[in-house]
Amino acid sequence: MALIGLNNFWYSHLTESNDGTPTYDGAKSVGKAVSCSVSITNNNAELYADDALAESDTSFQNGTVTLGVDDNREETFADLLGHSITEQGEVTYNANDVAPWVAVARILVKMVNNVTLYKAMILYKVKFAEPNEEENTKGENLSFATSSIEGKIATLKNGQWKTAKTFATKAEALAFIQSVLGNGTVTY
């Protein structure tokens, strides 16, 4: 299996019931996918007895996801970070703003035995933080700059944190994302 592509970043606001069942308010585009990095932190506990390893735990603890996108659209980033937007499109950043919990989805394109497949990946519970900003002046040679945003991955109350499913077509993968994140703006 070889990964040959990444596309379709989506998010949706999370409402979590007491038993950990998630509901989402509809898929919204984050922007065109440039890069994605998921880093997981696992619990690491060991119990030694009779001079040997008797028990160990390497279960999921939390993680971070960094999405690189083609454009840091004010409306999208404000929605992900809990900022307010006026009717004129002005974003107000307040120290008391609270980022909402969201689900984050993406599609990985892979090739297996010369067949292209589409793997839908959904992180159930992510909270994004204010991104760093870095800009450069146009120099002798033009270069493109993109934006990224990083979020903390957590588990739902029921322990689930991610789901994945592979499909034969991109349309099927998008339909799966829409079925989990709710009817939103998923397009082909």
Side-chain angles (χ1 to χ4, degrees):
M1 184 265 316
L3 292 177
I4 59 172
L6 167 71
N7 58 63
N8 282 268
F9 284 155
W10 301 99
Y11 76 98
S12 185
H13 294 104
L14 165 67
T15 302
E16 187 175 4
S17 68
N18 289 335
D19 68 356
T21 303
T23 55
Y24 299 101
D25 67 351
K28 299 171 219 43
S29 174
V30 178
K32 291 182 180 179
V34 173
S35 63
C36 180
S37 173
V38 177
S39 178
I40 302 302
T41 301
N42 293 308
N43 294 313
N44 189 8
E46 297 175 339
L47 171 67
Y48 285 85
D50 288 338
D51 295 332
L53 180 63
E55 301 288 341
S56 70
D57 176 39
T58 57
S59 58
F60 175 85
Q61 186 182 90
N62 60 47
T64 58
V65 59
T66 304
L67 304 179
V69 294
D70 67 326
D71 183 20
N72 62 346
R73 295 178 289 196
E74 287 85 6
E75 302 84 10
T76 301
F77 275 45
D79 194 27
L80 287 171
L81 297 169
H83 302 312
S84 60
I85 303 176
T86 66
E87 288 183 17
Q88 296 77 27
E90 179 183 348
V91 179
T92 302
Y93 299 79
N94 187 298
N96 297 314
D97 291 343
V98 177
W101 287 105
V102 296
V104 175
R106 67 191 188 278
I107 296 177
L108 303 175
V109 184
K110 60 184 189 172
M111 186 165 287
V112 179
N113 295 323
N114 214 24
V115 175
T116 302
L117 299 171
Y118 302 87
K119 185 175 186 177
M121 304 278 292
I122 301 171
L123 299 169
Y124 287 124
K125 188 175 182 178
V126 176
K127 184 178 280 198
F128 286 100
E130 202 66 45
N132 294 324
E133 296 178 10
E134 181 180 341
E135 296 87 19
N136 294 301
T137 188
K138 180 179 168 182
E140 189 174 306
N141 295 312
L142 179 66
S143 64
F144 290 106
T146 59
S147 299
S148 65
I149 187 166
E150 183 176 280
K152 191 72 159 179
I153 303 167
T155 61
L156 296 170
K157 292 174 188 169
N158 63 17
Q160 296 178 354
W161 63 277
K162 178 172 88 170
T163 190
K165 190 171 181 182
T166 301
F167 299 91
T169 68
K170 184 177 174 182
E172 290 172 307
L174 286 167
F176 174 74
I177 289 171
Q178 188 173 33
S179 74
V180 174
L181 300 187
N183 294 330
T185 56
V186 173
T187 58
Y188 305 100

